[in-house]
Amino acid sequence: MQRTKIINLLNSKQEIDIVLVKGWVRTRRDSKTFSFIELNDGSCLGNMQIIADQALDNYEEIKKITTGSAISVKGRLAKSKGGGQKWEIPAENIEIISMSPESYPLQKKRHTDEFLRTIAHLRPRTNKYGAAFRIRSELSYAIHSFFKNKGFKYIHTPIITGSDCEGAGEMFRVTNLELDNLPKKDGHVDYSADFFGTESKLTVSGQLSAEMFALALGDVYTFGPTFRAENSNTSRHAAEFWMVEPEMAFCDLAGNMELGEELIKYLVAYVLENCKEDMNLFARFVDKNLMPALENILTRDFARLPYEEAVNILKNAKNKFEHEIEFGKDLQSEHERYITETYFKKPVIIFDYPKTIKPFYMRVNNDNKTVAAMDVLVPGIGEIIGGSQREERLDVLETRMDEHGLSKEDYWWYIDSRRYGSVPHSGFGMGFERVIMLMTGIRNIRDVIPFSRTPGSIDF
Amino acid sequence: MQRTKIINLLNSKQEIDIVLVKGWVRTRRDSKTFSFIELNDGSCLGNMQIIADQALDNYEEIKKITTGSAISVKGRLAKSKGGGQKWEIPAENIEIISMSPESYPLQKKRHTDEFLRTIAHLRPRTNKYGAAFRIRSELSYAIHSFFKNKGFKYIHTPIITGSDCEGAGEMFRVTNLELDNLPKKDGHVDYSADFFGTESKLTVSGQLSAEMFALALGDVYTFGPTFRAENSNTSRHAAEFWMVEPEMAFCDLAGNMELGEELIKYLVAYVLENCKEDMNLFARFVDKNLMPALENILTRDFARLPYEEAVNILKNAKNKFEHEIEFGKDLQSEHERYITETYFKKPVIIFDYPKTIKPFYMRVNNDNKTVAAMDVLVPGIGEIIGGSQREERLDVLETRMDEHGLSKEDYWWYIDSRRYGSVPHSGFGMGFERVIMLMTGIRNIRDVIPFSRTPGSIDF
């Protein structure tokens, strides 16, 4: 007999004569003649109530079943007589698959997020983390659906890369040299003996590669892991995280902003529609303001303003900022939060940043002072998207590379794309973990990644 | 005015008064009073025929348009009077976005795969590689759809890992130490100063992490990059490739085989249904036998036989093999190919391999001689799936780890999962690039990866 997942039974429209369920015991309590078992199989937040009658052959054993044990149950899916749930299974047979010892760390009580991080291999068995990782899965699917519906092609850009200066942050080195016995040449490591014959790193962005494909296939996107070797122990940064990077040929900055706003709204609508039960947990227990905040994103037009205007707003703000702001300085997290949370009270897109603080590949505006960059900021999170129209003019690009001290030899292929069939194109990067944080109200990036990597932390 | 993608126009049911298309010129030829342009925008294999009348203002310029140039065209979508295509656009206006110089490497002629690998940034602009990467994108989506429909949750398992002995192959090291100035302790590298405070590597498989989630959420899968630092320059191995790894709680080896066969058939059916035009290119120009081969996979039950039986078949074969085979030896590529291509002439699942040649986590069978492993072999490719039922018995697992000389301390979390709520579970890994090779007839893995990484090769 085939097991049925609990999500399907809880959504059943009618009683079913006989079903087989398998899962893990969340709690068990005894009445005089019954034992009530709350069974969860991870398919959804909800448990199936199992009623074990004392008449069962192995009732003495059943009465010893502990939290975390695995069991298999056969019985009728019946309308529940109790108040708490619609369906229950009066068991005809209960088989104990494995008994959890009393040392099982997830006994029925509240555990701190900090403690649960130390047992990241077990925390998806809790209500909160089960819900978080189901939502992560649904959001991944939503991202693929969104782009698929629009005719975007999904591209797997390289993780190991020889380009080391995209300017997006510190990079990890990848090597298969024996570190205890490094080959040297002229006093320096001889990378010609390394796997790729040269220095190689973990990618910080798939953008440059994705551009090559946008200039061939039109609309493309990446969705994969990216890395930063930055020694920052904040709640918003991880050394390994997933990023979504669409790249569109024949698209300018305005189109780029449209796509960013549309994507975020799509994802909010998607989880509200498809993850109701799990979302409800976060709205009740994690962030009381979650639903109004998501409604606000869904229903209101994102504010759009040039960086220069944002700077003026900040200068005129009564707030005291830790970092002074003036034209030419990068917006700090506190500035972004003020703009989106205090001033506009809704998502904001800031565009046309000073070219001096932005990478070489962003398109220089006619003022020759700003570039066609844009950041999307949302309340509670801050920057969630960063993107730009790319510099498609060969001569301007080469000048910018010189200004940034980049080797045109290393980037010969990137430059080639502006030599042959260059067209206006745009794209952005969206941090996937920030999206999950936005949707769930979870405020530490370590808690939305199955096994997070941060400085000093590589367990599991 | 919004541009329309060429795929939508080619599928149009009716003429349209005015459309805007943008793309890259594949070819141009002149008649007395017209110039005919084949325009491609990457949305599909097919080109839109543009007819430029000499009456156009910039006809002199248009006559100079080169292969690879980018243009923007306005005009009526009209039934074609010529024979080759259904639709064409008599241009009312042609704007040249950028002119490609004569040095553009993709002139209209046949290029070798070897040459195209040296311009991997441009090759998706060719018919063959455009088709290959559209199929890659469609197959990715198909994989997510398949698992989503079955209620599997998608898990992002870590790329950087501290576990270094899963036995799946050589691993790349990840570090942010200064290699020219390594911190040492007792004559060895002092990893306590490294980013994670210990040695770290690039993952060879997400399986062990995925198991933790299967034991919480039920059915899960990973789909992400994996790495091998093996110095093997074959047409089937890359240092970086994508792998699909489902993992199912409450599932035995038979259920695992079911899922593998169902997945492969689903993917074949999916590309045949959804990638007709691109698939046709491969069937015509790359592998004449492609369609019958795929039909064979789709319509026939996969053969299933124990390893021992496979060994007997090989021993009795008239073929001369380079490697001798006997019970206890691993099947070599030549053996696998013989079994699937020559003997059964269809996909084959071989199961119950000797435990001596398989990793510690595979479930020991009652004979104590074999483990519940399975490999799926397909004609033309060889092994495409490798999997097993996992050892869920704590004592057996610990014994196996001892036999393999693995540190139980390092794997405390993995062992924990057998201590608390352990259940029978199974899963497998499917090399995504091999799937693409199977579907397209492309026989070199370098040609199905956007920018492939192999020994000495990290360009782009």
Side-chain angles (χ1 to χ4, degrees):
Chain A
M1 187 177 179
Q2 192 107 30
R3 86 172 170 115
T4 309
K5 289 186 185 173
I6 288 173
I7 188 173
N8 297 327
L9 297 179
L10 292 179
N11 290 327
S12 181
K13 298 265 182 280
Q14 70 232 347
E15 302 208 338
I16 303 175
D17 273 350
I18 180 88
V19 297
L20 171 66
V21 293
K22 298 183 179 187
W24 295 273
V25 174
R26 284 292 170 84
T27 61
R28 195 184 52 76
R29 65 188 167 83
D30 298 321
S31 77
K32 239 183 280 180
T33 54
F34 295 102
S35 193
F36 296 93
I37 296 168
E38 293 290 325
L39 194 69
N40 189 283
D41 69 0
S43 62
C44 61
L45 183 65
N47 301 321
M48 177 59 72
Q49 172 157 289
I50 309 294
I51 302 177
D53 189 297
Q54 61 178 355
L56 288 170
D57 282 351
N58 57 344
Y59 190 65
E60 282 312 306
E61 252 194 288
I62 289 168
K63 273 181 31 184
K64 292 179 199 144
I65 291 175
T66 50
T67 292
S69 296
I71 64 172
S72 169
V73 179
K74 267 187 201 159
R76 176 176 175 78
L77 181 74
K79 288 233 165 79
S80 178
K81 286 151 199 143
Q85 60 284 318
K86 194 175 163 199
W87 296 108
E88 63 190 18
I89 299 177
E92 287 165 26
N93 175 281
I94 295 182
E95 185 201 325
I96 297 166
I97 300 174
S98 75
M99 197 72 105
S100 245
E102 297 292 342
S103 61
Y104 184 53
L106 296 173
Q107 298 301 328
K108 193 176 167 65
K109 63 165 201 151
R110 243 191 124 70
H111 301 284
T112 65
D113 292 325
E114 288 72 18
F115 169 69
L116 292 171
R117 265 172 232 151
T118 69
I119 50 167
H121 60 307
L122 299 177
R123 67 179 178 173
R125 302 181 185 190
T126 66
N127 282 341
K128 177 174 165 183
Y129 287 92
F133 292 117
R134 277 189 298 270
I135 289 173
R136 186 177 172 115
S137 172
E138 288 293 321
L139 278 168
S140 300
Y141 191 78
I143 284 164
H144 287 300
S145 305
F146 176 82
F147 287 115
K148 165 88 172 165
N149 293 342
K150 292 183 161 292
F152 281 61
K153 314 300 177 204
Y154 180 33
I155 309 295
H156 293 127
T157 49
I159 307 298
I160 306 176
T161 175
S163 318
D164 70 344
C165 38
E166 293 159 30
E170 285 285 309
M171 297 175 88
F172 285 104
R173 183 185 302 283
V174 175
T175 178
N176 77 336
L177 294 175
E178 277 290 343
L179 296 201
D180 272 337
N181 189 16
L182 284 174
K184 301 253 181 172
K185 201 176 157 182
D186 308 331
H188 293 288
V189 174
D190 178 11
Y191 290 107
S192 70
D194 207 348
F195 190 90
F196 297 107
T198 182
E199 289 194 65
S200 46
K201 311 279 179 81
L202 289 180
T203 187
V204 290
S205 159
Q207 177 201 319
L208 303 192
S209 309
E211 282 185 58
M212 301 305 101
F213 274 75
L215 295 173
L217 304 183
D219 292 336
V220 302
Y221 72 107
T222 75
F223 183 15
T226 48
F227 305 85
R228 297 279 190 286
E230 268 150 34
N231 201 352
S232 61
N233 251 308
T234 82
S235 61
R236 296 165 69 236
H237 294 89
E240 175 180 324
F241 56 97
W242 282 60
M243 189 134 75
V244 180
E245 296 180 283
E247 192 71 37
M248 297 162 282
F250 310 109
C251 177
D252 61 14
L253 189 67
N256 208 18
M257 291 195 258
E258 284 302 327
L259 189 83
E261 179 166 348
E262 194 183 341
L263 172 58
I264 289 173
K265 286 180 167 168
Y266 178 89
L267 295 177
V268 170
Y270 191 96
V271 292
L272 291 178
E273 176 65 29
N274 294 282
C275 309
K276 285 197 178 104
E277 189 189 26
D278 287 328
M279 286 298 288
N280 198 34
L281 177 148
F282 291 101
R284 283 180 64 195
F285 299 116
V286 174
D287 180 359
K288 296 276 183 215
N289 192 45
L290 186 62
M291 289 303 171
L294 293 178
E295 276 302 320
N296 185 44
I297 292 173
L298 197 55
T299 54
R300 300 189 64 190
D301 288 340
F302 291 12
R304 296 186 190 190
L305 71 164
Y307 162 91
E308 189 158 17
E309 212 175 304
V311 168
N312 288 335
I313 289 172
L314 290 164
K315 278 184 170 169
N316 295 327
K318 293 205 181 67
N319 274 48
K320 191 96 190 125
F321 297 112
E322 200 183 318
H323 303 85
E324 215 186 335
I325 186 69
E326 59 182 87
F327 190 98
K329 282 192 179 170
D330 217 349
L331 299 185
Q332 299 297 317
S333 187
E334 57 174 343
H335 304 129
E336 294 176 344
R337 302 285 289 261
Y338 175 82
I339 295 275
T340 182
E341 289 169 15
T342 310
Y343 191 86
F344 285 103
K345 297 183 174 61
K346 66 174 185 177
V348 175
I349 308 180
I350 300 179
F351 58 92
D352 287 353
Y353 283 77
K355 73 172 183 177
T356 48
I357 57 171
K358 290 292 184 185
F360 74 95
Y361 51 72
M362 294 189 175
R363 191 178 198 279
V364 178
N365 287 324
N366 288 339
D367 62 13
N368 200 26
K369 201 175 68 170
T370 59
V371 288
M374 65 117 180
D375 283 353
V376 180
L377 318 176
V378 290
I381 300 289
E383 184 193 325
I384 197 163
I385 279 178
S388 68
Q389 184 168 342
R390 318 307 187 184
E391 184 54 75
E392 90 280 12
R393 296 161 296 187
L394 180 60
D395 54 337
V396 183
L397 182 74
E398 292 191 321
T399 304
R400 290 279 285 162
M401 292 184 77
D402 288 340
E403 285 169 12
H404 280 79
L406 296 179
S407 150
K408 277 177 272 189
E409 219 167 281
D410 288 353
Y411 288 95
W412 66 272
W413 50 276
Y414 189 73
I415 295 169
D416 249 14
S417 68
R418 274 55 172 181
R419 186 171 284 132
Y420 305 121
S422 186
V423 304
H425 62 288
S426 299
F428 61 76
M430 179 177 75
F432 182 52
E433 280 74 16
R434 297 222 173 141
V435 173
I436 307 170
M437 292 164 76
L438 175 68
M439 301 298 176
T440 58
I442 292 176
R443 283 296 171 261
N444 195 313
I445 194 168
R446 291 166 182 77
D447 298 336
V448 299
I449 300 180
F451 300 101
S452 71
R453 270 72 180 102
T454 51
S457 167
I458 196 177
D459 284 341
F460 314 105
Chain B
M1 187 177 179
Q2 193 105 31
R3 85 172 169 114
T4 308
K5 288 185 184 172
I6 287 171
I7 188 173
N8 297 327
L9 296 179
L10 292 179
N11 290 327
S12 181
K13 298 265 181 279
Q14 70 230 349
E15 302 210 336
I16 303 175
D17 273 352
I18 179 90
V19 297
L20 172 65
V21 293
K22 297 182 180 188
W24 295 274
V25 174
R26 283 292 170 85
T27 59
R28 197 184 50 77
R29 64 186 168 82
D30 297 321
S31 78
K32 239 183 278 178
T33 54
F34 294 102
S35 193
F36 295 92
I37 297 168
E38 293 290 325
L39 194 68
N40 188 284
D41 69 1
S43 61
C44 61
L45 184 66
N47 301 320
M48 177 59 73
Q49 172 155 291
I50 309 294
I51 302 176
D53 190 296
Q54 62 176 354
L56 288 169
D57 282 354
N58 56 345
Y59 190 67
E60 281 311 306
E61 253 192 288
I62 289 168
K63 273 181 28 183
K64 291 180 199 143
I65 291 176
T66 50
T67 293
S69 297
I71 64 172
S72 169
V73 178
K74 268 187 200 158
R76 176 176 176 78
L77 181 73
K79 288 232 167 80
S80 179
K81 287 155 201 140
Q85 61 284 318
K86 191 174 165 199
W87 296 108
E88 62 189 19
I89 299 176
E92 286 166 26
N93 175 281
I94 294 182
E95 186 200 323
I96 296 165
I97 300 174
S98 75
M99 199 71 108
S100 244
E102 296 291 340
S103 60
Y104 184 54
L106 295 174
Q107 298 301 328
K108 193 177 169 62
K109 63 165 199 152
R110 244 191 124 70
H111 302 284
T112 65
D113 293 325
E114 289 73 19
F115 169 70
L116 291 172
R117 267 172 229 149
T118 68
I119 50 167
H121 61 307
L122 299 177
R123 69 179 176 172
R125 303 182 185 188
T126 66
N127 283 342
K128 177 175 166 183
Y129 288 93
F133 292 116
R134 277 187 298 268
I135 288 173
R136 186 176 172 115
S137 173
E138 289 293 320
L139 279 168
S140 299
Y141 191 79
I143 284 164
H144 287 300
S145 305
F146 175 82
F147 286 114
K148 164 87 172 167
N149 293 341
K150 293 184 160 291
F152 282 60
K153 314 300 177 203
Y154 180 33
I155 309 295
H156 293 126
T157 48
I159 308 300
I160 306 177
T161 176
S163 320
D164 69 345
C165 38
E166 293 158 30
E170 286 284 308
M171 299 175 86
F172 286 104
R173 183 184 303 283
V174 175
T175 179
N176 76 337
L177 294 175
E178 276 290 344
L179 295 202
D180 271 337
N181 189 17
L182 283 175
K184 299 254 180 169
K185 201 177 160 182
D186 307 330
H188 294 288
V189 175
D190 178 12
Y191 290 108
S192 70
D194 206 349
F195 190 88
F196 296 107
T198 182
E199 289 193 65
S200 47
K201 310 280 180 80
L202 288 181
T203 187
V204 290
S205 161
Q207 177 201 317
L208 304 192
S209 309
E211 282 186 58
M212 301 305 102
F213 274 75
L215 295 173
L217 304 183
D219 293 336
V220 303
Y221 71 106
T222 74
F223 183 15
T226 48
F227 305 85
R228 297 279 190 288
E230 267 149 36
N231 201 353
S232 61
N233 251 309
T234 82
S235 60
R236 297 164 69 235
H237 294 89
E240 176 181 321
F241 55 99
W242 282 61
M243 189 134 76
V244 180
E245 295 180 284
E247 192 71 36
M248 296 163 284
F250 311 108
C251 178
D252 61 12
L253 189 67
N256 207 16
M257 290 194 260
E258 284 302 325
L259 189 83
E261 178 166 348
E262 194 184 340
L263 173 58
I264 290 173
K265 285 180 167 167
Y266 178 90
L267 296 177
V268 170
Y270 191 97
V271 293
L272 291 178
E273 175 65 30
N274 294 280
C275 309
K276 286 196 177 106
E277 188 188 26
D278 287 328
M279 285 298 288
N280 197 34
L281 177 148
F282 291 102
R284 284 180 63 193
F285 299 116
V286 174
D287 180 359
K288 296 277 182 212
N289 192 46
L290 186 62
M291 289 303 171
L294 293 178
E295 278 301 321
N296 185 44
I297 292 173
L298 197 56
T299 55
R300 301 190 64 191
D301 288 339
F302 291 12
R304 296 186 191 190
L305 71 164
Y307 162 89
E308 190 158 17
E309 211 175 304
V311 168
N312 288 336
I313 289 172
L314 291 164
K315 279 183 169 170
N316 295 328
K318 295 207 181 67
N319 273 48
K320 193 99 188 120
F321 297 113
E322 200 182 318
H323 304 85
E324 213 186 335
I325 187 69
E326 59 182 87
F327 189 97
K329 282 192 177 170
D330 217 348
L331 299 185
Q332 299 298 317
S333 187
E334 56 175 343
H335 303 131
E336 295 176 342
R337 300 285 290 260
Y338 175 81
I339 296 275
T340 184
E341 288 169 14
T342 309
Y343 192 86
F344 285 104
K345 298 185 174 63
K346 65 174 183 176
V348 175
I349 308 181
I350 300 179
F351 58 91
D352 288 351
Y353 283 76
K355 74 172 182 176
T356 48
I357 57 171
K358 289 292 183 182
F360 74 96
Y361 52 72
M362 294 190 175
R363 192 178 198 279
V364 179
N365 287 325
N366 289 338
D367 62 12
N368 200 26
K369 202 175 67 170
T370 59
V371 288
M374 65 119 183
D375 282 354
V376 181
L377 318 176
V378 290
I381 301 290
E383 184 194 326
I384 198 163
I385 279 178
S388 69
Q389 184 169 342
R390 317 308 187 183
E391 184 54 75
E392 89 280 13
R393 296 161 297 185
L394 180 59
D395 54 338
V396 183
L397 182 73
E398 291 190 323
T399 306
R400 291 278 286 163
M401 292 183 77
D402 288 341
E403 286 169 12
H404 280 78
L406 296 178
S407 150
K408 278 178 271 189
E409 219 168 280
D410 287 355
Y411 287 95
W412 67 273
W413 50 275
Y414 188 73
I415 295 170
D416 249 15
S417 69
R418 273 56 172 181
R419 186 169 286 130
Y420 305 122
S422 185
V423 304
H425 61 287
S426 300
F428 61 76
M430 180 178 74
F432 183 53
E433 280 74 15
R434 296 222 175 141
V435 173
I436 307 170
M437 290 163 76
L438 174 68
M439 302 298 176
T440 58
I442 293 176
R443 283 297 172 261
N444 195 313
I445 196 169
R446 292 166 181 77
D447 297 335
V448 298
I449 300 179
F451 300 101
S452 71
R453 270 72 179 102
T454 52
S457 168
I458 196 176
D459 283 341
F460 312 104

